[in-house]
Amino acid sequence: MSAFRTPRSHTDRLRDRIAEGDMVRVAEEALRVVDFSRGTWGGRWEQVLNQLRDLPAERRRELLHALADRFGQAGDDTEDRCRHLALCGLVSEDLDDDPLAAERHRALDDLARRQTFWYAARFDVLARAELAAGRPLHPPVVAVVRRAALDAYRGDDLTVLARQLTDPVLNVGEAWAEQAMRDATTPDWQALLRHLLTATASKPTAKWDKGARALLDTLGTEAVRERLLSWLALVGRPRTLPLEPRAWDPDINSAYDPYNATALRGLAWLLSLLPPHPGTARALGALVETSLRKVAGIGPRNPKVANAGVVALARIDSEAALAELARLATRVTYKNTAKLLDTALEARATALGLSREEIEELAVPAYGLTEVGRATHRLGEATALLEIQGTRAVLVWRNAAGKPVKSVPAAVKRDHADELKELKTAVKDIDKMLSAQSERLDRQFLARRSWPYAVWRERYLDHPLVGTLARRLLWTIDGRTAGYADGELRTLADEPLTDGTRVELWHPVGREPAETVAWRDWLERHGVTQPFKQAHREVYLLTDAERATRTYSNRFAAHVLRQHQFNSLAAIRGWRNKLRLCVDDSAPPATRELPQWGLRAEYWIEGDGEEYGLDTTDSGTYLRLRTDQVRFYPIDAPENWAHCYGGEYAMWRRDGQDPVAPIPLEDIPPLVLSEVLRDVDLFVGVSSIGNDPTWQDGGPGGRFQEYWTSYGFGELNQSAETRRLLLERLVPRLAIADRCTLEGRFLHVKGDRHTYKIHLGSGNILRTPNDQYLCIVPKSDPAAPRTGYLPYEGDRMLAVILSKAMMLAEDTRITDPSILSQL
């Protein structure tokens, strides 16, 4: 019968109980109303509850105690108990009786450990009851109410309540916000925090700026800058008050408090109104990166705050801010923020009458380096040498006698603390910029760039920072290839090359193999480690199979990739991709637009699996992808689309557009074909489940066993072939050379217990006898010692193979129990 009850029927039943005058039965019926409505007190349910509000005070007092006597019936469910308490709060309005005050306190204490609450739980009624009793809400409770008021389905009365809660100014629970409130000890500083909370638009308005400038005039720009930068340094720290996530919640303790996030946006805007300062640009850049860091179940932590950081940097007219924008443009992959960065750099370039590429080149600061990769700083009687070594900057100290010392001299720490801090900050900045510039240079192969010789020397070869990368690359000067060694540009025959007209970045496509090999020898002879593969770069030439298929390549089809890893890597390499969800939805393939060539490359992919939780994340995103063809189209051709869980790709034509055929692979410039296929090879090589030793069981249901085996021990791809050629040169120089041999797809290592075969593509290991699989999961250790000279950086699998070989050659010294159990 209960299934047919409506608000009207409950109204009639409640009216009858009230007419009978038995408040016990009224209480029982009122609790049924709450149970049926599940806390939804709007609409016609409001008419039911109004009957209780209209009771005389004495009758409501009787009803209140009858409800209090039945509180035990609510059980242990938090929301059921809160609805019961909320009903009591409704009945007790204007009464001086509060029999369940202690229970309400406990309920609010439980609330303080939550991220938010469903509106139907009616925690807001409990909060109002506390306020009506003259007791202020605890700051953690205030924080929950404010966060709940920001939810999309909040009630208007909840919004009104949140606006009434003005103390504390910010939500507690985040280190930066709590420090800001401790620092805001005067009314003017409190006013500044309140102004930050008004940053609700995508960009600051003239009115917002006017109010901010008035506060700056009162407080002083230097004082504001110092405090704001100290607050920003705490953003992203672990929560000071951890929240208790429910089973279905994302990683809420790693997310920003959404209420405080608005203040963070205002904080970024406010910094852009201060006089330019290198520390400001650095802090804003860090805020952008911290705000885009991925959080499980959420994605980027808070893109709105990241965008506010970009907007602020774009408003600062300084070299440091421009450098930070350029650096972020090479690192940020989140689409909306990347678009903001592009817009900011384009606007700056237009204002200066330069191209986007030129503005990125000019934006790289020297960071105090007085020559390429070096700077000397005198601090009292000690000397600090700041030097770039490979991919990182280091500080080398000498004492008054000029002798090297391992640590910072005590006198420097005591007498030059500020200068020491600046030096350490410069080291961190240089490391970040080196990584960004290396990635930018690696993308130049498809940019069709060339430079006047004098400009190139200034911006590249002789630039204090970029020069440390440029001097490890090969360049073509007026048709002659040169590298930098012994203080000069030199040809293959080591003849100095002192002048030129036009310079381009050298690429092995179109070169004779003998020339490429000769340059590899040249790099090795001069001990040059390239920042990325150039002389050893893989070259992907058209195959007979691709000539037969004409318009598509199946070279990297039928692979199983980890979707999130693929998506991140694709973004870093300049590809556009959409995560596949296990829902009724369609998406275009992963694409890379090549405007300099008028082309668009496509890599066709689809989601793998169909079972939620097993094949997807909790949010329904596929964990894995299956791969298909690589194709090329004119850049303005309509996009192909396919269902996320598979099916035929079809061209989506608008406004009567004609279909556009794919371009035959033979018509694709060899450099473009090679670089695009190299990207795709990288996606497969890094993201494939086949190179993960923990997938030896074949994954869910063992359905990937055949693929894992064929990939993990099968034919080598192009990058693995390059690795094999390099190992042929490296292995004879290793301390374990007498225990190693290269045969086909494997590096054979003779240990004392067994002989092992390490696959050169996946790094997977087989051991004698009977080629039994040996699972060794590599550990990421950036500080691990190098195995000697390597001609290029960035091949993690090469490092994994060499480290495994070193371990297995001395297998009697292995102590790891998980490995010993397999030996």
Side-chain angles (χ1 to χ4, degrees):
M1 293 295 292
S2 61
F4 297 95
R5 290 180 183 172
T6 64
R8 181 170 182 176
S9 66
H10 277 290
T11 301
D12 295 340
R13 289 169 63 86
L14 191 60
R15 184 183 299 112
D16 292 342
R17 299 292 176 264
I18 291 172
E20 293 168 2
D22 187 342
M23 289 299 106
V24 171
R25 299 191 68 184
V26 172
E28 291 173 348
E29 185 60 34
L31 289 172
R32 290 192 192 97
V33 170
V34 171
D35 183 54
F36 271 86
S37 69
R38 304 298 295 170
T40 305
W41 291 3
R44 297 182 68 180
W45 289 111
E46 190 76 18
Q47 300 172 17
V48 180
L49 298 174
N50 280 341
Q51 296 180 80
L52 304 180
R53 292 190 181 98
D54 294 340
L55 288 171
E58 281 307 311
R59 304 297 298 278
R60 282 192 290 122
R61 193 184 306 277
E62 292 178 45
L63 176 58
L64 174 62
H65 283 272
L67 290 170
D69 292 342
R70 282 155 181 75
F71 183 70
Q73 299 175 9
D76 295 328
D77 182 81
T78 300
E79 294 194 356
D80 285 345
R81 292 166 68 87
C82 287
R83 279 192 285 269
H84 194 126
L85 289 168
L87 180 61
C88 291
L90 176 82
V91 170
S92 65
E93 287 178 3
D94 303 326
L95 298 180
D96 56 1
D97 216 346
D98 200 356
L100 292 178
E103 294 292 347
R104 187 169 66 244
H105 293 328
R106 279 192 285 273
L108 289 172
D109 285 342
D110 288 341
L111 173 65
R113 296 190 291 272
R114 290 194 179 190
Q115 166 74 1
T116 185
F117 59 86
W118 293 108
Y119 177 65
R122 302 317 305 253
F123 276 110
D124 55 312
V125 177
L126 309 191
R128 287 194 185 87
E130 280 293 285
L131 294 173
R135 289 186 290 270
L137 300 179
H138 293 162
V141 177
V142 172
V144 182
V145 172
R146 285 170 171 170
R147 291 193 292 265
L150 295 173
D151 286 348
Y153 298 104
R154 64 188 181 273
D156 291 340
D157 48 351
L158 183 58
T159 304
V160 171
L161 172 62
R163 287 174 180 165
Q164 293 171 352
L165 303 175
T166 58
D167 185 35
V169 180
L170 301 176
N171 279 355
V172 296
E174 291 184 320
W176 83 265
E178 292 179 0
Q179 185 61 51
M181 289 188 286
R182 283 193 294 269
D183 290 343
T185 56
T186 67
D188 289 329
W189 278 103
Q190 291 276 322
L192 182 139
L193 293 184
R194 285 193 293 273
H195 189 67
L196 298 183
L197 285 166
T198 64
T200 55
S202 59
K203 293 182 180 180
T205 62
K207 181 180 178 181
W208 193 93
D209 281 350
K210 182 179 179 181
R213 286 195 173 95
L215 289 165
L216 291 176
D217 290 341
T218 301
L219 295 168
T221 56
E222 190 59 29
V224 171
R225 185 185 67 80
E226 183 178 345
R227 285 198 180 178
L228 264 58
L229 293 188
S230 71
W231 302 345
L232 278 185
L234 301 175
V235 173
R237 296 274 184 93
R239 283 186 59 86
T240 58
L241 298 173
L243 302 171
E244 294 180 356
R246 292 163 294 187
W248 60 86
D249 276 338
D251 184 8
I252 53 177
N253 283 303
S254 295
Y256 288 166
D257 184 302
Y259 184 81
N260 289 347
T262 300
L264 275 180
R265 295 167 76 184
L267 194 155
W269 295 351
L270 189 62
L271 281 172
S272 69
L273 298 176
L274 301 176
H277 187 279
T280 300
R282 186 182 303 118
L284 288 171
L287 178 66
V288 173
E289 292 183 300
T290 302
S291 302
L292 292 179
R293 198 156 292 146
K294 296 292 181 65
V295 173
I298 295 176
R301 184 179 271 156
N302 198 300
K304 289 184 177 180
V305 173
N307 292 349
V310 174
V311 168
L313 284 168
R315 299 206 315 164
I316 299 173
D317 185 13
S318 75
E319 291 183 2
L322 179 58
E324 202 62 29
L325 287 170
R327 184 186 70 82
L328 290 170
T330 69
R331 308 305 300 272
V332 168
T333 59
Y334 183 71
K335 184 177 179 180
N336 290 340
T337 308
K339 186 176 180 180
L340 271 180
L341 286 164
D342 286 341
T343 301
L345 287 171
E346 291 285 357
R348 192 67 62 88
T350 301
L352 297 175
L354 302 171
S355 68
R356 162 67 184 275
E357 293 80 6
E358 287 177 304
I359 203 71
E360 287 186 344
E361 292 167 355
L362 292 171
V364 185
Y367 294 109
L369 299 170
T370 53
E371 55 184 301
V372 176
R374 290 170 61 89
T376 301
H377 298 268
R378 187 81 177 176
L379 280 72
E381 295 185 347
T383 302
L385 174 63
L386 196 164
E387 187 173 36
I388 295 177
Q389 298 177 2
T391 59
R392 54 192 296 266
V394 296
L395 278 174
V396 179
W397 292 93
R398 295 182 182 275
N399 60 20
K403 293 182 179 180
V405 291
K406 292 183 178 180
S407 59
V408 182
V412 172
K413 293 180 180 179
R414 183 185 65 244
D415 302 331
H416 302 277
D418 290 341
E419 295 97 320
L420 178 61
K421 182 179 179 181
E422 289 179 8
L423 276 176
K424 289 182 176 180
T425 300
V427 167
K428 294 178 181 178
D429 289 346
I430 289 171
D431 286 347
K432 289 181 180 180
M433 186 59 82
L434 275 174
S435 176
Q437 291 304 308
S438 180
E439 291 175 9
R440 183 177 70 84
L441 281 165
D442 196 11
R443 296 179 188 175
Q444 294 302 305
F445 291 111
L446 286 174
R448 307 187 87 170
R449 293 291 310 284
S450 67
W451 299 265
Y453 181 83
V455 170
W456 169 76
R457 286 211 65 127
E458 177 188 358
R459 298 179 187 175
Y460 286 87
L461 198 70
D462 297 332
H463 187 280
L465 184 140
V466 181
T468 64
L469 302 171
R471 292 184 178 189
R472 294 189 283 143
L473 295 172
L474 301 177
W475 304 87
T476 301
I477 303 169
D478 298 338
R480 299 181 68 189
T481 304
Y484 192 89
D486 300 325
E488 291 187 278
L489 285 168
R490 296 182 182 275
T491 66
L492 192 56
D494 276 338
E495 297 172 352
L497 190 60
T498 58
D499 203 356
T501 306
R502 206 78 193 168
V503 183
E504 295 177 345
L505 191 59
W506 182 89
H507 194 284
V509 160
R511 308 285 175 174
E512 290 294 330
E515 178 189 351
T516 300
V517 171
W519 276 110
R520 292 177 182 177
D521 292 339
W522 186 93
L523 292 170
E524 187 175 332
R525 186 168 71 249
H526 290 286
V528 176
T529 297
Q530 298 201 291
F532 47 81
K533 289 182 184 178
Q534 186 188 26
H536 292 78
R537 202 172 189 83
E538 298 84 5
V539 174
Y540 298 78
L541 304 177
L542 205 60
T543 64
D544 290 339
E546 288 161 344
R547 290 188 179 90
T549 56
R550 286 194 71 252
T551 58
Y552 60 90
S553 170
N554 274 329
R555 200 184 304 199
F556 301 104
H559 286 282
V560 182
L561 311 183
R562 293 178 288 266
Q563 173 168 217
H564 291 84
Q565 194 171 13
F566 165 78
N567 189 62
S568 297
L569 188 57
I572 290 170
R573 295 297 301 169
W575 289 67
R576 178 167 48 87
N577 183 54
K578 178 181 178 182
L579 285 172
R580 267 58 178 171
L581 303 178
C582 188
V583 295
D584 187 14
D585 190 19
S586 298
T591 62
R592 181 172 181 180
E593 294 186 345
L594 306 164
Q596 295 89 347
W597 304 85
L599 296 172
R600 183 182 75 233
E602 296 185 352
Y603 190 25
W604 289 9
I605 54 177
E606 62 184 46
D608 175 83
E610 54 187 27
E611 187 173 340
Y612 257 71
L614 183 67
D615 298 313
T616 72
T617 64
D618 291 340
S619 61
T621 306
Y622 278 111
L623 293 171
R624 293 169 292 277
L625 300 171
R626 288 190 179 272
T627 67
D628 202 347
Q629 305 171 6
V630 175
R631 293 188 175 211
F632 291 85
Y633 288 86
I635 195 169
D636 56 354
E639 282 189 319
N640 291 296
W641 284 68
H643 204 283
C644 289
Y645 53 68
E648 191 72 23
Y649 271 94
M651 190 163 280
W652 186 14
R653 293 176 285 153
R654 300 180 181 179
D655 304 324
Q657 286 178 298
D658 293 327
V660 177
I663 299 173
L665 298 180
E666 288 187 327
D667 295 341
I668 303 299
L671 174 63
V672 174
L673 179 70
S674 184
E675 284 296 299
V676 167
L677 292 182
R678 183 177 184 273
D679 275 355
V680 177
D681 195 356
L682 178 68
F683 302 156
V684 172
V686 173
S687 307
S688 172
I689 63 170
N691 61 26
D692 187 341
T694 63
W695 276 73
Q696 59 178 305
D697 61 355
R703 69 177 187 263
F704 301 112
Q705 183 66 62
E706 183 178 350
Y707 169 75
W708 184 84
T709 302
S710 65
Y711 182 92
F713 300 103
E715 294 298 324
L716 302 182
N717 59 15
Q718 193 65 42
S719 59
E721 283 287 356
T722 301
R723 194 175 297 130
R724 184 182 64 80
L725 292 173
L726 177 58
L727 284 169
E728 287 179 351
R729 304 170 69 99
L730 290 179
V731 167
R733 306 173 194 167
L734 298 177
I736 58 170
D738 60 330
R739 290 177 172 256
C740 298
T741 55
L742 274 167
E743 295 181 18
R745 305 188 296 268
F746 296 91
L747 173 63
H748 293 246
V749 181
K750 181 175 175 54
D752 293 321
R753 298 172 184 264
H754 303 279
T755 298
Y756 310 89
K757 295 159 58 177
I758 307 175
H759 190 261
L760 302 180
S762 65
N764 290 336
I765 306 168
L766 299 174
R767 71 168 178 84
T768 58
N770 306 322
D771 281 351
Q772 292 172 279
Y773 177 68
L774 175 61
C775 180
I776 298 179
V777 180
K779 296 179 180 179
S780 178
D781 184 7
R786 290 179 55 154
T787 56
Y789 168 77
L790 294 176
Y792 53 80
E793 295 163 351
D795 188 348
R796 181 177 180 273
M797 185 55 69
L798 176 62
V800 166
I801 291 170
L802 288 172
S803 66
K804 287 182 176 181
M806 298 285 187
M807 175 191 295
L808 296 172
E810 299 181 332
D811 55 1
T812 56
R813 300 179 63 181
I814 294 174
T815 57
D816 188 312
S818 67
I819 301 175
L820 286 175
S821 66
Q822 303 175 71
L823 299 178

